[in-house]
Amino acid sequence: LAGNAVANGMSWDGAFKAITSVPAAMYGQTDLGVLRQGAIADIVIWDGDPLELMSSPDAVYIAGQPTPMESRQTKLRDRYMNLDEPLPQAYERQ
């Protein structure tokens, strides 16, 4: 929605604040949603503009600690990436 707001005239900075520091401030959390010394380090590093639909996260840090980017979806993607390799036993064609 923030990307749609930018597409319809909202400033990029305003839209990004609307999904980061503004909601945190609404809940009285001044150390969330901002990048500054002493703030809680929950950071996402994107491969492009985070407000663009086709961008995806490259790395995620929660409380300053790296978070694995592996999920069931990435495991399945990797498992079936090469269709020339034999299928796992449960999926062999008879």
Side-chain angles (χ1 to χ4, degrees), residues 3-42:
N4 288 339
V6 171
N8 286 289
M10 185 175 198
S11 73
W12 191 95
D13 288 340
F16 198 72
K17 286 179 183 178
I19 60 172
T20 57
S21 60
V22 171
M26 289 173 59
Y27 287 97
Q29 301 294 319
T30 58
D31 58 343
L32 294 175
V34 294
L35 286 177
R36 72 166 180 263
Q37 187 174 355
I40 296 174
D42 291 347

Side-chain angles (χ1 to χ4, degrees), residues 16 35 41-47 50 56-62 69:
F16 198 72
L35 286 177
D42 291 347
I43 299 171
V44 179
I45 299 172
W46 295 83
D47 65 359
S56 61
D58 283 339
V60 177
Y61 294 84
I62 298 176
M69 296 296 292

